[in-house]
Amino acid sequence: MEIKPEELLFRLQQGKPLPDLSGIIAVYGEEDYYRSQIAAAAPAFIFAGIDEADREITIFDKDTDLRQMAAVVNTYPFFCGRSLVILKDEKLWGGKQDSDSKKQQLDKLADILSDVPEYCTVLICASKLDKRTKLFKLLKKQALLCECASLRPYDLAPWLERQAEQYGARWERDAVGTVLEYLAPVERAPLQLLQQEIAKLAVYAGERKTWTKADVEEIFSALPETSSFALLNFICDRKLPEALRLLADERKKGGNILPICALIMFKLRQMLQFMELRQHGYDLKGATAELKLHPYAAKKMQEQCRRFQPESLQQALLDLTQLNIDLRRGGRGYERLEEILLCLIG
């Protein structure tokens, strides 16, 4: 049976029964945030009411001997009548899955897991599982299967709301929009880092339970996109002195100019896409859905696009592309980027 990571984590933390638990919980996927949270919550759930000293937990995280694992799974726990086996050795399912030795190893693991005693729970934590294998087919049939896929930034709003609820708080609309704008250029939302920043935000806000845009701008300093986000805002608002000042700061710190150029190019392409959609008859709601933007970010982009002509954005993109080529040939960096910004917003 399949279960979503949010539901599984909630049930474990709240001590609520798990559906169709057959002794195996398989948690897999590229989002380490959920996998680590579930692994941390599982012992208290499995051993509810049992002292930590009496809990029988065995972790296999490297160089797993499957014979030893089989012995642990099938040995009745002496102290509390329950045992937990946590299997997170990536070498078991990593590497070349098509090799004979790897296939034999996975098949042997499947055989062990095909008959888990009722007193034992096996928790599998894997970044990736090959769905073609005998092991995965067994897990799909007998285990509680939980896929932890990464969240894209445009899907992050419900997750942010749930995080605030844990502190008895709520976000203002502009606050959520600002977080999503920070993360718009990235492929995957850094949930672990976001959780840390939200914890700091809760401490910062104290008894005040409504979190504002100003709170986000004050606290979310650890996000690597934050300073670049400020630069993008200055560019889109045509604030040349402020943009040049930030560039000068990055230059003094020895920051790599290539990621900065990449973020600027991402933003300019996004603005051009927005303009093109509007020219083809999309209303604001339609363009928002097409580009997978938060409504707050879309409204802000609409205001920013009014300050530019498509031709100037296209020329800046061509200039930035050439800058990237020249940099790899030893050409000028920050000076040339300043010239491009002068032409775009000067």
Side-chain angles (χ1 to χ4, degrees), residues 75-274:
T75 299
Y76 187 82
F78 180 76
F79 291 104
C80 65
R82 291 210 58 78
S83 64
L84 171 62
V85 174
I86 300 177
L87 184 59
K88 50 182 180 180
D89 185 353
E90 292 292 339
K91 286 185 179 180
L92 283 173
W93 31 74
K96 293 183 178 180
Q97 300 290 333
D98 294 332
S99 68
D100 289 339
S101 60
K102 179 67 66 176
K103 184 178 183 299
Q104 291 173 7
Q105 190 177 38
L106 290 175
D107 287 352
K108 185 175 181 180
L109 178 58
D111 290 339
I112 295 170
L113 297 178
S114 65
D115 187 21
V116 176
E118 62 179 13
Y119 53 75
C120 179
T121 300
V122 177
L123 173 63
I124 295 175
C125 297
S127 60
K128 186 177 182 180
L129 289 176
D130 190 336
K131 297 183 178 181
R132 301 168 298 176
T133 61
K134 175 182 175 181
L135 172 63
F136 188 85
K137 292 174 182 176
L138 171 81
L139 295 176
K140 190 171 183 180
K141 182 179 179 182
Q142 293 188 204
L144 188 60
L145 201 58
C146 178
E147 183 174 8
C148 303
S150 290
L151 284 179
R152 301 300 185 258
Y154 55 79
D155 292 326
L156 193 59
W159 184 88
L160 290 172
E161 297 292 350
R162 288 193 296 271
Q163 292 295 310
E165 288 171 2
Q166 292 181 14
Y167 295 96
R170 56 175 292 274
W171 304 85
E172 283 189 348
R173 181 185 178 88
D174 289 359
V176 171
T178 301
V179 175
L180 298 185
E181 278 191 283
Y182 282 160
L183 298 171
V186 303
E187 182 74 12
R188 300 169 183 170
L191 300 185
Q192 205 78 39
L193 181 56
L194 281 170
Q195 188 186 45
Q196 295 170 11
E197 296 306 290
I198 290 169
K200 289 193 288 186
L201 174 55
V203 174
Y204 173 79
E207 295 299 320
R208 180 166 50 82
K209 298 303 181 182
T210 298
W211 296 345
T212 66
K213 177 182 178 181
D215 295 332
V216 172
E217 293 172 340
E218 180 69 25
I219 296 300
F220 277 55
S221 57
L223 288 176
E225 295 78 15
T226 301
S227 61
S228 299
F229 172 76
L231 174 61
L232 294 181
N233 264 351
F234 286 143
I235 293 172
C236 293
D237 293 341
R238 303 190 72 100
K239 295 181 178 179
L240 181 62
E242 290 87 345
L244 295 180
R245 174 177 54 78
L246 273 185
L247 274 184
D249 290 342
E250 286 295 321
R251 187 175 185 178
K252 287 178 183 177
K253 291 188 292 185
N256 190 341
I257 193 173
L258 287 174
I260 297 173
C261 290
L263 282 172
I264 296 173
M265 293 176 74
F266 169 85
K267 184 66 176 182
L268 299 187
R269 288 195 192 97
Q270 195 178 48
M271 292 173 69
L272 280 169
Q273 289 173 332
F274 186 87

